[in-house]
Amino acid sequence: MNQEKDIDSPPDLILRGVRQNNLKDIDLDIPLGKRIIITGPSGSGKSSLAFETIYAEGQRRYMQSLSTYARQFLERFKAPLVDKLQNIPPSIALEQINPVRNSRATVGTTTEINDYLRLLFEKIGKEYCCKCNIPKEQKTPQDIYDLVKQKYSGRTLLICAHTKPKESSQDFLSELLRSGFTRVVVQSEAVLVEELLKKKKLPKSFVIVVDRLKIQETQDKDEQKRFSEAIQNAMGMGDNEANLYLEDNKTYKIVDNFTKWARCPECHETASPKSAISFSFNSPLGACENCKGFGNKLEIDEELVVPNPSLSIFKGAIDPFTKPSLRNWQKKLIDFCQTHRIDETLPYKDLPKKHRELIFNGDKKFRGVKGVFKTLEAEKYKMRIRVFLSRYTSPFTCNTCKGQRLNNDSLRVKISEQSIAQVSSMTLSQLKQFFTDLKLTSREKQISIDLLSQLHRRLDTLETVGLGYLTLARLTRSLSGGEYQRILLGTQLSQGLTDTLYVLDEPSIGLHPKDTQQLLKVLNKLHELGNSLFVVEHDPEVIEWGEYIVDMGPGSGTRGGEVIFAGSRDLFMKADSTTSRAVRDWRNECRHSLMRPLSEPKGDLIELRGAKSNNLQNIDVDIPLKCLVAVTGVSGSGKSTLIVDTLFQALSKIFNGTSDKIGKFSSISGFENLTSIELVDQSPIGKSSRSNPITFIKGYDEIRALFAQTPEAVRQGFSPGYFSFNVAGGRCETCEGEGRVKIDMVFMEDVWVPCQDCKEKRFKPKILNVRYRWKNIDEVLRMTIDEAYEFFKGIPSLKTKLALMVDVGLGYLQLGQPGFSLSGGEAQRLKIARELTQSLSKRSSTLFILDEPTTGLHFNEIIRLIHVLRRLISNGHSVIVIEHNIQLICAADYIIDLGPDGGEGGGTVVASGTPRAIAQKKLLHTSKYLSELL
């Protein structure tokens, strides 16, 4: 499509013969300097084009421009499969993956705000006295002169430095004389240095007279300058201290002492020198000595040690003592209980508190549960001991720093009565207001103007991308992929790069429609700097925002990889493709869902009362069962805290007997109507290539059985086990069925290379010779799920499982695709398919909780997902989705909207009811947005 180009516009990005992954030899001319949207169904080749071709080549070419020395420290990029790629600028990828696993990384360190904050506290922070709890004062030479002028006008003063020389006293005095200092104070008298040198016995320390000055009663600029210089010289010679001696009849007595450092005006305790690094919990200078800067310590957790408190000590309430290696301690514990008259037959939960404490702390003869674990810690160098200990320990807030991660010296330094830890615990929105309201002296303003400017700029950007509810102290590893991407986006905007190609992976994920508009404003700022934006996206509002649209398709996997449309937004809206029709009609589809005749659910309810974990404001929630419930609200409004941390963990404890830490609440009822609880999240299905879609859904056993029944397998005596890559027999023993071999790089990260014996086919040649319907086991594992569905149509049980994976939009995946290569959304949908398979085989009433199941889904795939969720409900189950996608929200039976804002501004139930009822209320955010669709 030839379009006239502006003479000043950058040249087009030219791609010819792109064959990366499933891309089918595509050619494209994409205008640079534009907002480019790459859209299409899941698995249609969007990421292959955007990330594995355009970004990878842009990054590779930039790396090649660097020196050989610099390149050795950087990641190596493999050239993508493309015949020609011209005019590509340096590229930066902002993906929907949070790679951070380090407990030391926080929002503050990731955004670099902590660096500026530490400098600010170094420059204008005031240290508070630990005894008097008042700020220590640091006096400048001008401050000292003003004080002296007030107290000693008309009097003669000696400005002195007290020092203890390292060399001999004789040499020191000689050097002092050569430097022009002629007097020292000895026993209240000013003595000439020349006279003192004549004496045989010399003192070991000296009070050097730097200057003698009569303080005038009138203002004198020359006197002020002379006094200031003398004070500075005295501090330089006297270990940062200067002493003032008052002359009285030719005798001198010390009347004042001043220091370079700040000190308490009451008790005169001197402040320790502070530097930016002393406010870092990642440095020994600033970190709490007890927890080493982590803010918590791993300690024995009573709930993990006693997972079932209804058991007695005799029946094994202390779980670690039931393990074979520690059974001798169980006998010692029972003897201990009998000695101390503790009823070992009484349920643990009914034991008095003092008895439970005694069991854990022990005495001189029996060291208690904690003592046993302390003994085991001596053998932590053994892997099995470390694994064993980890099962019974949890992080508990450090008693020394109270979770603030810093030592007392650092925490005593404050700005506007707030320590750096208190400032870091504010939300970004509160922190922005804190700096806006900050009252500083003219000197402090002059010192901090640049630092405050940088802080305001970064905080503004992060608030604009919808992250105002986060705190600087929040661990980076606890952020979702979407939150992490937006942090990177905010950081990039503050860098001010130009002529750069940014590739973003669905930046709208995890954002409420209200926040999406803010995100687009940030992207516009990035674009206005002269950058090109390539955005992989499904959100219709973001697609409408784009200037140039590339629509991939027509299907997924092998049915995708083609360019269906490439052109301007206006032409795209008139085009006849699946995506363009969906973008044109999405409002009508949502309106149709909203207008459904729905009545308020009147069946069974889960009643959760007094939820008050994190930012939840002691709320009461009624959740209807046997229907699709959508929990909505802006980012940080408390959705995950309510549903995952509180509801799921509480029900998991009830049904499974174990759980992670449960959010605080008063009571829960209505769970009697359920038989189990399942959290279908986006965590990986496995970390090795042995975990794949067909094994995860429990369909591989049937495939192995089919191969074992073939004439060739029967003749060779191959059982189903020979077709497993998990056990010895038919698998390739070189790679042990992995298809790849790990090379230990010793001091560097391990490298995986293809197995040279089996050529990544995992099995021995004799196994690969066995064929079922003209295909061997490797060829079957390389089939897409769509292809496998047709191939195994005659096997009812296998057909049902494959059909469910097709229904959740995963038909493009290969049966044997490694689990680690699946995205979070793909892993989640695979889990939904497995749960559907199990629900069809047994009658139960399970509550399914899904966290943003629409992640990465095309419009049509969301419709299929809704049908799948409806199937779960028709089988007697209940479904709760935490969701921002308006298509799924409109299709829900009931909405619980949290808010009204994120962080401390959220945590309340704004509205609850059917989607139409919520829309008609025309309240904040979700309600207002839905009302615009009516």
Side-chain angles (χ1 to χ4, degrees), residues 336-398:
F336 172 79
C337 289
Q338 291 170 351
T339 303
H340 290 270
R341 296 182 179 179
I342 299 172
D343 190 348
E344 72 271 21
T345 62
L346 196 66
Y348 183 84
K349 63 182 180 182
D350 296 332
L351 289 174
K353 185 179 179 181
K354 64 177 183 179
H355 285 175
R356 294 202 299 268
E357 289 176 354
L358 202 55
I359 288 167
F360 267 78
N361 298 322
D363 60 10
K364 291 181 180 179
K365 291 184 178 179
F366 176 76
R367 300 177 64 192
V369 174
K370 289 182 179 179
V372 174
F373 274 87
K374 204 163 274 186
T375 303
L376 288 172
E377 281 179 4
E379 298 182 73
K380 278 179 75 173
Y381 60 89
K382 298 176 182 175
M383 174 63 79
R384 62 182 181 83
I385 298 295
R386 290 202 301 273
V387 172
F388 181 82
L389 290 172
S390 68
R391 291 177 188 162
Y392 302 103
T393 54
S394 294
F396 287 89
T397 302
C398 172

Side-chain angles (χ1 to χ4, degrees), residues 125 285 863:
L285 295 175
I863 294 171

